[in-house]
Amino acid sequence: MLYHVNWNTSETKKIYQARKNSELLMEYLEDRLLEEGIAKLISEQPTPNRGYGVLYYYYSNKPRKRLLSSAPRRDHDHIHVVIFNSILKREQLKEELFDLGNEVETPDIKIHTKEEIDNLIRLINTNLHML
């Protein structure tokens, strides 16, 4: 695990060869998390021999306070986001019409647009203030 990274300088970006829209969404998500002061720490887990990686965003300077992970896609124009620590529930995401993945315990979504990222940030901000 590598800490104190960002999307543009990450090993994940270098090795992934993701689609352009997927890369733009990764950058926008990170920018919004930092602008809103939500992300306090960023790490990545690159897997060069398999050609992919994932970035983790934390809502505290302590690596145990994981907020979400995100990964670009090589064959699709979306990014995959997994939400940790019960920050958002699957039902909330379903009500907001997010494209849900198969995970139940730690909800995962596919994000296709910047508007979906803005909506996700709004929901996270609301729920983080309730913790």
Side-chain angles (χ1 to χ4, degrees):
M1 190 79 70
L2 305 171
Y3 291 95
H4 305 290
V5 298
N6 66 45
W7 167 247
N8 283 321
T9 61
S10 70
E11 291 299 312
T12 298
K13 181 176 181 176
K14 292 175 191 168
I15 62 177
Y16 215 104
Q17 300 170 346
R19 287 214 173 160
K20 186 67 176 168
N21 191 57
S22 189
E23 285 195 8
L24 291 172
L25 291 172
M26 286 289 290
E27 186 173 349
Y28 187 74
L29 173 63
E30 184 173 282
D31 288 347
R32 293 288 287 127
L33 288 168
L34 293 172
E35 277 174 17
E36 294 290 323
I38 298 170
K40 308 290 186 206
L41 179 67
I42 305 170
S43 71
E44 74 168 319
Q45 191 170 14
T47 312
N49 58 336
R50 296 187 63 193
Y52 68 87
V54 63
L55 270 73
Y56 294 97
Y57 297 89
Y58 304 85
Y59 60 94
S60 170
N61 288 325
K62 298 175 184 166
R64 290 186 309 260
K65 304 285 187 176
R66 192 181 290 177
L67 172 66
L68 60 84
S69 69
S70 65
R73 290 294 177 249
R74 185 177 291 122
D75 299 326
H76 301 283
D77 282 334
H78 66 268
I79 59 176
H80 182 242
V81 174
V82 179
I83 300 155
F84 298 101
N85 288 313
S86 301
I87 302 295
L88 295 173
K89 303 284 188 218
R90 186 174 176 83
E91 295 76 34
Q92 284 178 290
L93 296 166
K94 188 175 182 179
E95 287 172 11
E96 295 287 334
L97 304 177
F98 280 101
D99 185 358
L100 294 171
N102 297 327
E103 276 294 322
V104 177
E105 292 297 315
T106 52
D108 66 315
I109 55 177
K110 297 173 188 171
I111 294 196
H112 305 272
T113 66
K114 289 181 177 181
E115 291 77 19
E116 288 177 329
I117 290 173
D118 291 337
N119 195 19
L120 178 64
I121 296 297
R122 179 185 59 77
L123 289 171
I124 289 172
N125 260 331
T126 300
N127 284 19
L128 274 179
H129 291 301
M130 291 186 208
L131 290 180

